[in-house]
Amino acid sequence: MKIRGYAAMTAKAPLAPWEFERRDLGAHDVALDIKYSGICHSDIHQAREEWGPAIFPMVPGHEIAGVVTSIGSAVSKFKVGDLIGVGVFVDSCRVCEPCKNGTQQYCIEGMTGTYNQLERDGKTPAMGGYANVMVINEDYAVTIPANLSLDGVAPLLCAGITLYSPIKHWKAGPGKKVAVMGLGGLGHMGVKFAAALGAEVTVFSHSPSKEADAKAMGADHFVSTKSEGFHTKYSKHFDLILNTVSAELDINIYLSMLGVDGTLVVIGLPGKPYSVEAGSLLPARRSLSGSMIGGIPEMQEMLDFCGKHNIVSDVEVIKADYINEAYERTVASDVKYRFVIDATTF
């Protein structure tokens, strides 16, 4: 089927309109009209080939919300008219332990990314959600609750699950003190989820102007990292710290704020490795860990949770012809808090 979308034809080239083909509907596939597609910072890194060799032409986009328009002959999970979402991956090996236990994002063979990867056949480039139509195997899509706005749902398929997964894994909730480093596209979702689960939430941000936003999202405390010695009053204080920052920083300052058996989870991707001092870990049996998106069952759990608590991402909706400007603004952190493309404009 012929698809309209936006693509980067070469590394660092501006994205431009492009027509391409998706596969015909297989027995277990569903086709969906994409309504909204979120812009993730990782789209920019990959379109600009900042994470190593990439596949071009590239149609980015892995925060996809839409409506089912047709289904394959063996599909049982969805029907025409259903609201569904597609996230960061569209397939996996299906037979390894992570795949069988629903953590497909950690597939031993490697998950198949929604774009900038080859499909499982090893030869067909996967094309993402900056387009008007998507074809997806039913096992790798999730149901969107009808009470949520689709534009605000789109970023949940990446930014949302990236925070929901560690928050649930490390059991944030009543009686737990959770800190979120950075109030951006990722961080603001961490605040909303941790607050909805009943944790005491503190935001660390280099932007003092975001304090009102943080409090409106459910944060109990806001700390400006521009203040000298900002961390001293929080020594051995937190149970869980979520690091959504991709910039280089002294991770030892934040480790010092963990209490006994506390964990700092790395979610952002800094340009250089952290220098971790053993003395930052030993005094309180602290852990430094990492987390990456979530599996299909957890994505569905997150969306159901969002439906129950009316949680969506804070977004700025744009037309397709604004994508390149949106990229520049995203790099400059000039968005509150996630750009979402109106897919009807492709």
Side-chain angles (χ1 to χ4, degrees):
M1 56 183 75
K2 286 284 187 181
I3 309 300
R4 300 189 313 275
Y6 263 56
M9 304 308 291
T10 60
K12 299 179 175 60
L15 273 71
W18 188 53
E19 284 197 354
F20 62 102
E21 291 187 352
R22 295 203 191 272
R23 68 176 182 266
D24 291 331
L25 210 62
H28 291 278
D29 288 338
V30 298
L32 60 143
D33 280 349
I34 299 174
K35 298 302 182 183
Y36 295 97
S37 184
I39 291 179
C40 179
H41 206 139
S42 62
D43 298 343
I44 302 171
H45 287 304
Q46 294 183 81
R48 295 179 176 179
E49 210 169 36
E50 295 170 347
W51 285 352
I55 301 171
F56 295 97
M58 180 194 299
V59 177
H62 57 207
E63 299 179 339
I64 302 160
V67 180
V68 175
T69 55
S70 57
I71 62 174
S73 60
V75 168
S76 60
K77 187 176 176 182
F78 302 106
K79 64 182 185 302
V80 172
D82 283 353
L83 303 177
I84 70 170
V86 179
V88 178
F89 57 94
V90 293
D91 211 338
S92 61
C93 82
R94 302 170 181 253
V95 296
C96 70
E97 282 305 310
C99 283
K100 289 192 290 187
N101 69 24
T103 53
Q104 297 94 338
Q105 76 273 30
Y106 301 127
C107 175
I108 300 302
E109 290 187 8
M111 65 183 184
T112 300
T114 307
Y115 68 92
N116 193 28
Q117 272 194 263
L118 298 178
E119 301 272 9
R120 302 310 282 192
D121 64 9
K123 60 183 181 181
T124 305
M127 297 295 178
Y130 291 11
N132 64 328
V133 173
M134 185 83 180
V135 176
I136 181 76
N137 182 285
E138 64 175 327
D139 293 338
Y140 291 83
V142 287
T143 299
I144 297 172
N147 64 304
L148 298 178
S149 59
L150 283 185
D151 55 355
V153 165
L156 298 181
L157 281 307
C158 175
I161 189 59
T162 296
L163 272 296
Y164 184 86
S165 185
I167 284 172
K168 288 303 295 286
H169 181 78
W170 277 277
K171 297 178 172 58
K176 294 294 183 73
K177 297 174 180 176
V178 176
V180 177
M181 296 167 56
L183 192 71
L186 292 174
H188 89 290
M189 293 309 311
V191 174
K192 291 186 178 189
F193 287 140
L197 286 165
E200 181 181 329
V201 182
T202 300
V203 171
F204 288 93
S205 172
H206 72 283
S207 302
S209 62
K210 291 184 177 180
E211 180 171 2
D213 284 357
K215 297 286 182 66
M217 293 171 191
D220 300 285
H221 314 287
F222 183 92
V223 179
S224 171
T225 56
K226 289 185 175 180
S227 303
E228 187 175 350
F230 68 88
H231 62 288
T232 54
K233 68 176 288 187
Y234 293 101
S235 177
K236 299 182 179 179
H237 181 78
F238 295 106
D239 300 292
L240 178 65
I241 299 178
L242 302 163
N243 177 14
T244 72
V245 179
S246 294
E248 296 166 31
L249 48 77
D250 185 354
I251 200 70
N252 299 288
I253 288 175
Y254 295 90
L255 287 169
S256 73
M257 292 188 278
L258 288 172
V260 175
D261 291 329
T263 301
L264 190 155
V265 184
V266 176
I267 297 163
L269 292 168
K272 294 181 180 179
Y274 291 122
S275 178
V276 181
E277 299 173 7
S280 298
L281 299 173
L282 305 185
R285 201 164 56 196
R286 298 171 176 131
S287 297
L288 177 62
S289 190
S291 182
M292 182 179 74
I293 51 175
I296 296 299
E298 195 167 46
M299 288 172 65
Q300 189 61 63
E301 177 188 315
M302 173 203 65
L303 286 173
D304 293 343
F305 181 85
C306 289
K308 180 180 179 181
H309 295 273
N310 201 30
I311 294 174
V312 291
S313 181
D314 287 21
V315 301
E316 180 176 334
V317 178
I318 63 169
K319 294 182 179 180
D321 61 8
Y322 192 75
I323 290 173
N324 292 301
E325 289 87 346
Y327 271 25
E328 296 304 323
R329 286 181 55 192
T330 299
V331 171
S333 299
D334 179 25
V335 57
K336 289 188 174 181
Y337 282 88
R338 205 78 168 185
F339 282 115
V340 171
I341 307 162
D342 178 350
T344 66
T345 63
F346 285 116

